[in-house]
């Protein structure tokens, strides 16, 4: 094992004589004095100026209700249990985010199969109470309100081997463009009709009314409408005999 | 009868009073500051009955020296300035902005004032184990040795007391400040304050001897310890005559005022402000400014001994104020140099600082005495 | 010992009695009777971090130092038992936030080892780059804390200012500044743009350039050298005996680096050297880390130059997904589907990683049935060198406590986890 | 997807004997309330909303009027729906007397042995056993390894109803190889009916072990009854019925016994119409009748059971003895006699 580490740098501590010491003192003082005259400032005066952040910035989360398929995956993957799925009047379940718990790992955003959760560049919203930090679905649809004082964007740039703070006189755009997401193309279907006990739970669960049930002559007929089915998998989860499954479209 | 008797009594009283007031007024107006710029205004004011007493008092040279500049008011102004300047300069060196939010348009210079107000309204916590009366008294008492030296420091003709023993008196008064700090540490009755007090005591002996020798060297060099005469004699600034003494004075000044390489007694990261660990509120504000006040006094002394005191290019509009201004500017520059060190150095260990004090500095101080003796004996000085 | 006692009836001071002090009462009495002084450094002390050190001093010399860690213990290992394997990633990077990539890599490698996943080449290079970035970040952070412990405020601000470049690199690549959660089993979460790689490459130059100024004002400052030289010495034998790890072990003359020994990620394919010191004092410990920064810069430059093109997520994990090509570039949209079904086979899987402050060990025990770990053992470097840290305190002055503390870069949240 | 998938499918519904009433209502009226429910809990198993409750009380569906989704699954799986009593010895391949060398059980430990062997063979990977707590209350235990079978609490007969079939649902959907079930003849019938209705059960329930049974009790009734007799079940280590006597064995070795005739008052009504003594539909039936003390009678009925018995024989896990089928036959006929169906009207 040891023989593998053949390349090594020896670190020696210097033995200083008087000349070295005086030189060291002078070096330190000159360096500081140089900075005092030509400072390499990197401070950003935050509420007035704002750091330029990339589009993939993990800020507060915005929600596009039209794309959500109530698949619950965001709430399943959340490591901090910050996402609660709340029943909406239309019978579906939509996420609410508890920002007291959210750790901004954006696992949920990376999980969402339809791109219904959007990243924003907002990270600095002040809340006046703990209750307010619970963002309901309605609050998630619009980007959170915040007081803006900034009129300048600061961008880090490296020029000639040194850091330059580039100042751009503009008000930073904080929302990001939704990334176009390929539809997951899943469809609910019955894999084992012989297992079905005709319990109609799938029909009762389906948030988009894609499953219809008819009773004809002592037989219960189930039908899945592929146009309405969003592939959310709720019926698959509910089915007591595991007859339903998700298939590729 | 009774009525007329009392009225007569009154009249004599008034006469007595008038003569007393007039005598005092005579003393004041005979030794007034002569400032050409405000001369017309002063002349007008001197004709107004009661205001003239006030004007005469303010412009009376001893009063001006002690209460205004370079005394109390100058001290307060320099305090506000140096705390702001120190933070600003350190920030500049450290790629930061420094205090800015308060009075953004003038670079945040009101920040120390705001801090002072915060200290003032903060609760003063006196913990159970502290010696309550002394704990409260000492930060205030500490002002006595800090302020008294101002009496003896001349700015041209503006001075309060002129005595041939000015230098020893000032040095002995300054030497009392660490005693007060030790008393503060004792009254705090806390573990960290105790360690800090012991360190302060060690440091006291470490720097005081080279400091006194360095000052002595200058007294030997000038052949007098009358500060007025010392300033008079400086055709060439003392720093050019005896740079070693100036160096020793500067380093011991850094030690005495707890500037950074020697901020050992207070050592924020090690013993949490040492003797002052238990203080809060305005009492902490007082103890915190103690070192700066000491620095101001030592800066004045350094200017007088090495930088020619109040001498400088004449400013004809200011008359008697000219040396005051020059002295003040020199003292503040010395304070700025001290403030600059803060951004350059870490803190030494107590043993290293003591070793430095007892070996290099004491040696250099003796060398400076020798140099001073040679110069003095060689008659290089007029 | 008994004749050394003062013949005064000594009561330990009142402040020791109501407190919970992790030492027996006899110890306190013994110390006070033998004219020694007990100072509680921390946890509310500007130079202690979130821990307490019970320091017993005789005069100014430290006779004994007892650590009392645990003030920021957050039961990471227990928390991990209730989370999916993938959900543990943001959890495990918390103990040492600046070092998040190294902490992720350790955990992720244990999972990859268990599932026998082959990580794609590009992902390994990206991991190496981020690990080294976080190593530089940790060393800069430690240098800052170290400086301020010595009272050098400029030395505190400059490394923190430089660290901003690391944060910016993290931000551009992963979308967040410190807790990146970027490294996942089988690869990384998203591909890193060439423009970002160029920024990282350039920022290495900035760090190198500005470190020269830092060297003048802090590293080579005679006052600093005077404070650190021959302070808190751990000889080679002592360092090995007390189980010191990482740069602090190397500072004592032991050339051991997990990156070389295990050769994980892309370290085997790059040219770099292991800095080794001889003296084992506080200054050498610091210099070794300064040298490691320049070695890390070297590694990052090579990695960026040599980085191959290709997928960033292992095909073993992608499985039979239809949108393979998309997922190989960016995991977005498939995160849960890919990672929620991670289930380790029965057994115990261990990984060693060279984190910023030394050896980091993860040991995952799986029962083979559940989708959460049965047990995760996480041994952080801070915990490993705590003993060596305490031993090196003995015999130095009280003022050196902070210097030695800083020279070890001890980080209580990391040790307590 | 290898399997065929359907977007449209149909399922036959059972006959609705009473119009305008939900299926559970019909079941309640015709089976539970008419007293022929055997408490086999098959309906509780299949109920998609898990509304049907069993346990230590008669089958019920609280608030069924609102909550029942009216799927009819309970009726389709109920073994007492259109009840035709099974009787006789049934078909069997061989009859054996045996005693396990590995396990101690009620008699020969053969039930445990058969399940353990099936697990070792890899035929099944889990089985549902009934354990007991301190008060002899039945507790369901999912056995996933042979080691689990060595527990003290698992062995022995409990003579109380347990929700074995309810738990079967979880087992069936989590198994990889197959599930083994042990039950009284009515439970065996329930499982067989389930297997007819839901394919998953016929695929995954590999082994059904029937137990010889005359009647079973509600636990609370049994323990109250025994308490009246002055028997503290918490101290008992074994209960047994032998030669018309109920025997309780205590920790200190003492025994109490009384005639089973005294149980008449607490026999559930469902048991009074059951004529199946030997578990006709099971894969293998096990009981103590027909062999000497410490041995069990094993009636091997199907191929899989035969395979397991051959394995046991090969491994030499059991000692064999000569069974007496005549004794079993006698009890079979006795049960038919005491439990007539349709029940005799009481005056």
């Amino acid at each position: 094992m040891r023989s593998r580490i053949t390349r090594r740098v020896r670190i020696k501590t210097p033995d200083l004589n008087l000349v070295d010491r005086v030189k060291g003192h002078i070096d330190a003082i000159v360096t500081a004095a140089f900075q005092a005259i030509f400072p390499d400032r990197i401070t950003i005066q935050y509420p007035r100026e704002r750091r330029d952040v990339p589009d993939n910035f993990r800020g507060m989360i915005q929600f596009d209700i039209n794309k959500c398929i109530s698949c619950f995956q965001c709430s399943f993957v959340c490591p901090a249990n910050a996402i609660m799925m709340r029943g909406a009047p239309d019978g579906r379940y939509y996420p609410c985010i508890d920002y007291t718990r959210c750790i901004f790992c954006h696992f949920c955003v990376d999980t969402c199969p339809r791109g219904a959760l959007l990243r924003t560049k907002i990270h600095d919203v002040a809340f006046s109470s703990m209750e307010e930090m619970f963002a309901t679905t309605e609050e998630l649809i619009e980007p959170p309100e915040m007081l803006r004082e900034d009129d300048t964007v600061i961008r880090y740039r490296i020029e000639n081997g040194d850091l330059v703070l580039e100042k751009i006189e503009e008000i930073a755009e904080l929302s990001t463009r939704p990334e176009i997401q390929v539809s997951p193309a899943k469809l609910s279907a019955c894999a084992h009709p012989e297992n079905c006990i005709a319990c109609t739970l799938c029909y009762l669960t389906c948030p988009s009314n894609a499953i219809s049930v008819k009773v004809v002559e002592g037989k219960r007929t189930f039908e899945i409408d592929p146009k309405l089915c969003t592939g959310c998998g709720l019926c698959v989860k509910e089915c007591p005999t595991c007859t339903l499954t998700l298939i590729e479209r | 009868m009774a009525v007329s008797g009392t009225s007569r009594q009154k009249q004599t009283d008034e006469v007595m009073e008038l003569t007393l007031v007039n005598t005092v007024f005579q003393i004041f107006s005979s030794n007034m500051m002569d400032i050409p710029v405000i001369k017309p205004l002063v002349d007008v004011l001197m004709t107004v009955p009661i205001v003239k007493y006030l004007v005469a008092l303010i412009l009376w040279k001893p009063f001006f020296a002690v209460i205004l500049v370079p005394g109390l008011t100058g001290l307060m102004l320099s305090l506000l300035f140096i705390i702001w300047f120190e933070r600003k300069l350190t920030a500049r060196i450290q790629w930061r902005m420094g205090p800015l939010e308060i009075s953004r348009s003038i670079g945040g210079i009101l920040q120390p004032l705001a801090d002072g107000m915060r200290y003032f309204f903060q609760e003063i916590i006196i913990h159970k184990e502290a010696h309550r009366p002394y704990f409260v008294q000492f930060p205030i008492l500490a002002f006595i040795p800090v302020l008294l030296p101002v009496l003896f420091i001349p700015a041209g003709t503006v001075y309060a007391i002129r005595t041939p023993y000015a230098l020893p008196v000032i040095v002995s008064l300054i030497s009392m400040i660490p005693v007060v700090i030790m008393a503060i540490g004792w009254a705090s009755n806390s573990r960290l304050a105790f360690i800090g007090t012991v360190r302060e005591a060690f440091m006291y002996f470490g720097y005081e001897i080279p400091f006194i020798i360095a000052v002595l060297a200058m007294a030997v060099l000038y052949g007098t310890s009358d500060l007025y005469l010392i300033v008079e004699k400086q055709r060439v600034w003392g720093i050019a005559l005896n740079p070693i003494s100036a160096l020793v004075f500067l380093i011991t000044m850094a030690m005495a005022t707890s500037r950074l390489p020697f901020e050992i007694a207070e050592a924020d990261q090690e013993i949490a402000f040492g003797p002052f660990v238990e203080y809060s509120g305005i009492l902490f504000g007082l103890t915190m400014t103690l070192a700066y006040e000491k620095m101001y006094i030592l800066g004045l002394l350094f200017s007088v001994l090495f930088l020619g005191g109040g001498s400088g290019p004449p400013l004809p509009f200011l008359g008697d104020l000219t040396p005051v201004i020059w002295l003040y500017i020199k003292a503040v520059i010395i304070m700025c140099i001290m403030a600059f060190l803060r951004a350059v150095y870490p803190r030494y260990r107590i043993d290293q600082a003591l070793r430095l004090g007892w070996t290099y500095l004491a040696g250099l101080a003796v060398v400076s005495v020798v140099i001073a003796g040679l110069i003095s004996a060689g008659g290089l000085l007029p | 010992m008994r004749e050394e006692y003062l013949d005064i009836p000594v009561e330990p001071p009142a402040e020791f009695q109501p407190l919970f002090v992790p030492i027996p009462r006899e110890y306190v009495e013994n110390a006070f009777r033998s004219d020694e002084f007990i100072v509680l450094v921390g946890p509310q002390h500007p130079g202690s971090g979130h821990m307490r050190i019970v320091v017993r001093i005789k005069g100014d010399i430290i006779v004994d130092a007892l650590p009392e860690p645990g003030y920021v213990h957050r039961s990471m290992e227990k928390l991990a038992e209730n989370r999916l394997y993938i959900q543990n990633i943001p959890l495990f990077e918390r103990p040492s936030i600046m070092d998040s990539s190294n902490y992720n890599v350790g955990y992720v490698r244990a999972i990859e080892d268990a599932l026998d996943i082959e990580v794609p080449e590009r992902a390994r290079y990206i991991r190496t780059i981020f690990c080294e970035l976080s190593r530089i970040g940790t060393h800069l952070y430690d240098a800052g804390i170290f400086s301020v412990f010595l009272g050098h405020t400029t030395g505190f601000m400059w490394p923190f200012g430089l660290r901003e470049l690391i944060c910016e690199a993290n931000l551009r690549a992963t979308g967040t500044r410190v807790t990146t959660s970027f490294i996942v089993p089988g690869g990384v979460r998203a591909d890193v743009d060439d423009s970002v790689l160029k920024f990282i490459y350039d920022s290495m130059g900035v760090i190198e350039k500005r470190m020269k100024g830092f060297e003048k004002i802090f590293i080579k400052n005679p006052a600093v050298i005077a404070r650190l030289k021959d302070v808190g010495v751990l000889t080679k034998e002592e360092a090995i005996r007390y189980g010191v790890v990482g740069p602090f072990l190397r500072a004592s003359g032991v050339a051991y680096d997990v990156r070389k020994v295990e050769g994980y990620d892309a370290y085997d394919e790059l040219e770099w050297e292991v800095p080794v010191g001889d003296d084992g004092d506080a200054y050498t410990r610091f210099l070794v880390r300064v040298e490691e920064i320049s070695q890390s810069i070297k590694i990052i430059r090579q990695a960026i130059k040599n980085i191959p093109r290709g997928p960033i997520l292992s095909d073993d994990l992608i499985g039979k997904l239809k949108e393979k090509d998309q997922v190989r570039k960016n995991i977005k949209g498939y995160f849960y589907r890919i990672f929620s079904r991670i289930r380790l086979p029965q057994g115990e899987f261990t990984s060693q990683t060279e984190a910023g402050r030394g050896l980091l060990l993860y040991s995952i025990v799986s029962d083979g049935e559940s989708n959460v770990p049965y047990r995760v053992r996480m041994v952080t470097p801070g915990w490993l060198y705590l003993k060596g840290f305490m031993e090196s305190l003995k015999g130095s002055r009280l003022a050196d406590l902070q210097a030695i503390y800083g020279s070890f870069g001890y980080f209580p949240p990391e040790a307590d986890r | 997807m290898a399997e065929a998938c359907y977007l449209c499918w149909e399922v036959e519904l059972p006959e609705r004997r009473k119009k305008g009433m939900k299926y559970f209502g019909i079941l309640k009226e015709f089976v539970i309330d008419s007293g022929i429910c055997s408490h086999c809990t098959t309906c509780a198993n299949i109920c998609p909303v898990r509304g049907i409750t069993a346990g230590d009380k008669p089958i019920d569906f609280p608030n069924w009027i609102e909550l029942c989704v009216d799927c009819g699954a309970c009726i389709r799986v109920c073994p007492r729906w259109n009840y035709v009593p099974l009787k006789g010895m049934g078909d069997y391949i061989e009859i054996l007397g045996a005693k396990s060398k590995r396990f101690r059980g009620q008699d020969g430990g053969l039930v445990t042995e058969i399940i353990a062997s099936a697990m070792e063979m890899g035929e099944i990977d889990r089985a549902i056993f009934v354990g007991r707590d301190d008060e002899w209350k039945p507790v369901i235990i999912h056995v996933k390894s042979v080691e689990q079978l060595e527990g003290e609490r698992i062995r022995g007969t409990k003579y109380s109803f347990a929700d074995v079939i309810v738990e079967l649902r979880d087992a069936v959907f989590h198994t990889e190889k197959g599930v083994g079930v042990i039950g009284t003849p009515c439970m065996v019938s329930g499982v067989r009916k389930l297997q007819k209705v839901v394919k998953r059960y016929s695929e995954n329930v590999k082994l059904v072990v029937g137990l010889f049974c005359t009647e079973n009790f509600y636990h609370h009734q049994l323990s109250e009854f025994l308490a009246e007799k002055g028997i503290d079940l918490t101290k008992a280590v074994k209960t047994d019925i032998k030669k018309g006597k109920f025997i309780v064995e205590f920790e200190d070795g003492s025994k109490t016994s009384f005639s089973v005739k005294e149980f008449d008052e607490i026999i559930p009504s469902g048991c009074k119409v059951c004529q199946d003594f030997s578990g006709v539909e099971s894969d293998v039936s096990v009981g103590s009748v027909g062999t000497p003390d410490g041995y069990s009678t094993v009636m091997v009925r199907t191929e899989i059971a035969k395979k397991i018995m051959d394995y046991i024989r090969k491994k030499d896990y059991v000692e064999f003895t000569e069974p007496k089928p005549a004794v079993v036959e006698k009890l079979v006929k006795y049960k038919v006699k005491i439990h007539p169906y349709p029940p005799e009207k009481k005056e």
Side-chain angles (χ1 to χ4, degrees), chain B residues 185 188-199 265-266 268 270-278, chain C residues 15 37 39-42 44-46 398:
Chain B
S188 291
N189 193 10
S190 147
R191 198 161 290 269
L192 298 175
F194 170 69
I195 298 172
T197 309
V198 172
R199 286 186 181 184
E266 280 153 36
D268 186 12
E270 287 159 19
I271 47 172
F273 279 109
F276 314 130
V277 62
E278 302 293 347
Chain C
E15 62 186 86
F37 200 65
V39 188
L40 304 184
V41 178
Q44 298 173 344
H45 189 281
L398 180 64

Side-chain angles (χ1 to χ4, degrees), chain A residues 4, chain C residues 259-260 262-272:
Chain A
R4 289 188 61 180
Chain C
R259 289 175 289 171
K260 281 276 189 214
E262 297 228 329
Y264 59 92
D265 286 349
Y267 287 116
D268 263 0
E269 295 152 33
L270 305 170
E271 286 280 311
W272 56 282

Side-chain angles (χ1 to χ4, degrees), chain A residues 57-62 118-122 143 174-176:
Chain A
F57 183 71
R58 296 197 208 148
M60 301 186 91
I61 295 160
Q62 207 179 329
L118 305 173
R119 307 181 201 269
T120 64
K121 296 179 185 175
I122 302 169
L174 293 183
S175 57
T176 53

Side-chain angles (χ1 to χ4, degrees), chain C residues 51-53 65-70 234 242-245 248 357 380-393 404-405 408 410-412 414-417:
Chain C
M51 80 173 304
R52 173 185 280 162
I53 309 172
L66 301 173
E68 193 195 347
L234 277 183
Y242 300 133
V244 178
V245 290
F248 319 110
R357 297 188 182 87
T380 46
W383 185 249
L384 288 170
Y385 63 67
L386 180 59
K387 175 70 181 165
F389 169 27
M390 287 302 138
E391 291 297 328
S392 65
L393 280 179
I404 296 170
Y405 196 119
F408 272 104
Y410 184 73
F411 194 54
E414 182 190 90
D416 292 351
R417 58 198 183 278

Side-chain angles (χ1 to χ4, degrees), chain B residues 276-287:
Chain B
F276 314 130
V277 62
E278 302 293 347
Y279 280 95
S280 58
I282 188 67
L283 287 182
F284 177 74
L286 290 177
T287 53

Side-chain angles (χ1 to χ4, degrees), chain A residues 15-224:
Chain A
D15 262 326
L16 295 188
N17 55 29
L18 193 64
V19 179
D20 290 341
R21 253 185 253 179
V22 172
K23 193 175 168 294
H25 281 293
I26 290 170
D27 266 355
I29 288 170
V30 166
T31 313
F34 187 79
Q35 286 293 332
I37 300 163
F38 309 106
D40 291 332
R41 274 198 181 129
I42 54 168
T43 307
I44 288 163
Q45 298 177 33
Y46 157 62
R48 294 172 183 79
E49 300 168 350
R50 190 172 266 277
R51 268 287 267 284
D52 177 51
V53 291
D55 275 353
N56 62 351
F57 183 71
R58 296 197 208 148
M60 301 186 91
I61 295 160
Q62 207 179 329
F63 176 59
D64 186 348
I65 197 162
N66 296 323
K67 287 185 180 169
C68 182
I69 54 171
S70 299
C71 68
F72 282 63
Q73 284 185 20
C74 50
S75 74
F76 292 157
V77 84
C78 182
N81 267 340
I83 298 184
M84 187 182 116
M85 298 300 282
R86 192 180 255 186
D90 63 354
R92 292 212 197 180
Y93 289 83
Y94 295 117
C96 308
I97 297 177
D98 188 354
Y99 279 116
T100 50
R101 294 174 160 212
C102 181
I103 55 172
F104 298 98
C105 63
H106 277 213
F107 277 10
C108 50
V109 178
D110 276 0
T111 290
C112 186
R114 297 293 299 271
L117 293 171
L118 305 173
R119 307 181 201 269
T120 64
K121 296 179 185 175
I122 302 169
H123 58 88
D124 42 2
V125 176
F127 298 95
S128 59
S129 68
M130 295 282 274
E131 290 73 36
E132 218 176 277
M133 293 187 77
F134 186 88
T136 57
T137 310
E138 296 82 49
E139 287 163 1
L140 282 176
I141 292 170
E142 287 298 312
E145 273 178 42
M146 54 185 285
L147 197 65
R148 294 277 297 270
E149 287 179 51
D150 57 309
D151 51 7
T152 313
V153 177
I154 303 273
R155 186 171 294 151
Y156 271 31
R157 221 183 49 219
I158 291 165
E159 258 177 22
N160 304 329
D162 206 355
L163 180 66
V164 178
L165 302 189
E166 189 183 359
K167 290 197 180 188
I168 306 160
E169 296 272 334
E170 63 176 34
I171 294 165
E173 173 61 41
L174 293 183
S175 57
T176 53
R177 274 167 280 108
E179 293 157 57
I180 296 154
Q181 193 71 28
V182 181
S183 160
K186 288 273 177 179
L187 177 65
S188 172
C190 182
H192 312 281
E194 63 275 20
N195 275 356
C196 180
I197 56 169
C199 66
T200 69
L201 275 189
C202 47
Y203 160 74
L204 295 170
T205 322
C206 183
S208 43
N209 297 327
I211 302 177
S212 56
V213 177
K214 276 179 230 141
V215 182
V216 188
E217 297 164 6
K219 282 182 177 177
R220 201 169 264 172
T221 312
F222 293 80
E223 195 173 351
I224 296 171

